[in-house]
Amino acid sequence: QVQLVESGGGLVQTGGSLTLSCAASGRTFSYCPVGWFRQAPGKERDIVAAINWSGTNTYYADSVKGRFTISRDNAKNTVYLQMNSLRPVDTAVYYCAAARPITGYSGYETEEDEYDYWGQGTQVTVSS
């Protein structure tokens, strides 16, 4: 079982930066693909970024490429989302999610239903 807790959200002005953290409990987390999703009011939850278990493969939604960076420190059981050049459209609740590890699989997941564990979310608000 994996439990996830996000932190680092808050209010920031346009152009500012935030770093979100996803701290996990559970011995298998370091082998789990992890994703960051976000959900704005009245909209569906969408993938923002994803990373494989070793940190060697990453994915970014087109809307955040070049501005956001996903990384992980398996020794600390933590995944990060560094967000730069934030825009009002980035305002959303950000969720961390982890998929059960699969032996021999070194990819990441981009679909919501491929993830098994979810955090409670952290609010990011970007003011104009």
Side-chain angles (χ1 to χ4, degrees):
Q1 190 74 9
V2 173
Q3 294 183 322
L4 306 173
V5 178
E6 302 97 334
S7 62
L11 174 64
V12 65
Q13 292 184 334
T14 296
S17 299
L18 284 174
T19 299
L20 305 183
S21 298
C22 174
S25 62
R27 293 180 299 167
T28 61
F29 179 76
S30 59
Y31 300 104
C32 296
V34 173
W36 283 98
F37 290 76
R38 67 185 180 188
Q39 187 169 23
K43 296 189 176 181
E44 295 183 350
R45 188 157 58 182
D46 294 323
I47 184 78
V48 174
I51 191 167
N52 72 333
W53 73 270
S54 63
T56 55
N57 291 331
T58 57
Y59 166 88
Y60 296 96
D62 287 342
S63 58
V64 305
K65 278 181 183 176
R67 299 189 297 124
F68 291 11
T69 302
I70 188 170
S71 62
R72 68 189 298 162
D73 185 341
N74 284 340
K76 296 182 178 180
N77 260 19
T78 302
V79 173
Y80 305 96
L81 185 68
Q82 172 69 44
M83 306 185 295
N84 298 326
S85 302
L86 283 163
R87 307 165 180 167
V89 294
D90 295 318
T91 295
V93 177
Y94 283 71
Y95 298 90
C96 172
R100 289 191 182 93
I102 300 174
T103 301
Y105 179 67
S106 61
Y108 50 71
E109 309 292 351
T110 60
E111 299 297 324
E112 197 173 330
D113 60 8
E114 292 169 332
Y115 286 91
D116 303 290
Y117 309 106
W118 291 84
Q120 82 289 348
T122 186
Q123 176 71 47
V124 171
T125 303
V126 184
S127 64
S128 57

